[in-house]
Amino acid sequence: MKATRPKVAVWKFASCDGCQLSLLDCEDELLAVAGAIDIGYFPEATSAMVDGPYDLSLVEGSITTAHDAERIRRIREESAVVVSIGACATSGGIQALRNGADIDDLVATVYAHPEYISTLATSTGIDRHIDVDAELRGCPIDRGQLVELVNATLNGRPPRLADTAVCVECKTRNHTCVMVADGIACLGPVTLGGCGALCPGYHRGCYGCFGPVDDANADALADHLVEVGHDEVELVRLLRNINVAAPAFDDAATRVELAATRRNR
């Protein structure tokens, strides 16, 4: 009897498609496993679609509408393993900039007929609506980590993914610390690694693309950056950037804002 091949699906919610493009960019690496799986659903790559259940679902994008919320629950029900990929799926992404504003005012400002727009008040990550089995951080995700996760999942072993801060990657690549040497504001000490310290490697501060590392002390980093003279408004923008809704970053940004407000009274 012929063995059944694992069925994989790739789903899109509110996002820019960058993480799906990262998957397509792994074509050389994925050729080795392409013959061992069936692509059940991946509109970005193929029009062929096969009904579930699916062995592995990769989900890109944040949940922004009631329809999205219902759809992700259906995906969870018909998927053995669900992995959220990218900043939008893991923390709400850039879209979460709206979370602190009045959504009705925003819709009325942007759309000529706001009565036709149906949206939630917030943009949230996938894990706010369902249980996820794993997540890949980044904006976009790292192709090496993606290949490792797919390979590990299909072979029934835990994936080997980065679990330390970007600063560790800087050290292993002999990058000069941009905060110490150049006085550049950098989120490397509180951001999860996995990008290969790309920005510091080009003498730029880390923008926090991979979100906060576990137990990130973003408050202490923010206090230090203010103490050494960095502009508070720019610091808040840095913290409320790609992973704006990540609690560690958002809480630190709020502290900076409140302290600046009290000082300027």
Side-chain angles (χ1 to χ4, degrees):
M1 183 176 179
K2 185 178 179 181
T4 301
R5 296 186 300 186
K7 194 183 300 181
V8 178
V10 182
W11 309 89
K12 170 183 165 59
F13 287 83
S15 61
C16 70
D17 287 30
C19 292
Q20 292 185 78
L21 293 176
S22 294
L23 176 57
L24 293 175
D25 194 39
C26 293
E27 54 184 347
D28 292 336
E29 295 88 341
L30 293 176
L31 281 175
V33 298
I37 65 173
D38 286 326
I39 301 297
Y41 183 87
F42 191 3
E44 188 91 2
T46 176
S47 59
M49 298 183 187
V50 180
D51 291 336
Y54 304 100
D55 296 281
L56 170 63
S57 280
L58 303 175
V59 183
E60 176 194 57
S62 63
I63 305 301
T64 59
T65 68
H67 177 264
D68 286 347
E70 174 57 31
R71 182 167 164 245
I72 193 59
R73 287 192 289 269
R74 291 199 303 268
I75 291 171
R76 174 71 273 186
E77 290 172 358
E78 58 185 17
S79 304
V81 175
V82 175
V83 178
S84 54
I85 61 172
C88 295
T90 58
S91 74
I94 292 291
Q95 304 87 271
L97 284 167
R98 77 195 220 183
N99 291 2
D102 186 314
I103 192 62
D104 292 331
D105 286 346
L106 291 178
V107 171
T109 299
V110 173
Y111 296 98
H113 293 281
E115 65 271 19
Y116 297 134
I117 304 301
S118 177
T119 186
L120 298 175
T122 58
S123 169
T124 55
I126 301 301
D127 66 352
R128 294 285 296 275
H129 299 267
I130 63 169
D131 292 330
V132 298
D133 299 287
E135 63 178 25
L136 283 182
R137 306 276 196 88
C139 185
I141 53 175
D142 176 76
R143 56 187 288 180
Q145 287 199 337
L146 176 61
V147 171
E148 164 61 15
L149 184 136
V150 172
N151 183 30
T153 300
L154 296 179
N155 285 284
R157 64 171 175 82
R160 295 183 290 268
L161 303 175
D163 59 1
T164 56
V166 171
C167 285
V168 174
E169 296 187 335
C170 278
K171 294 297 184 183
T172 59
R173 286 163 174 75
N174 293 318
H175 294 336
T176 300
C177 179
V178 296
M179 282 206 299
V180 174
D182 305 309
I184 297 173
C186 177
L187 296 183
V190 295
T191 298
L192 180 67
C195 62
L198 180 63
C199 293
Y202 286 92
H203 303 289
R204 297 289 186 269
C206 170
Y207 294 94
C209 300
F210 277 55
V213 70
D214 288 344
D215 300 321
N217 193 346
D219 288 344
L221 177 62
D223 290 344
H224 168 74
L225 291 174
V226 171
E227 183 179 334
V228 298
H230 287 284
D231 182 77
E232 291 165 322
V233 173
E234 292 302 317
L235 178 55
V236 169
R237 288 175 179 169
L238 179 61
L239 289 163
R240 289 184 176 152
N241 189 11
I242 296 167
N243 284 278
V244 55
F249 289 174
D250 186 41
D251 291 347
T254 299
R255 284 185 72 252
V256 173
E257 284 182 321
L258 291 175
T261 299
R262 287 193 295 266
R263 187 165 49 253
N264 294 328
R265 282 177 179 171

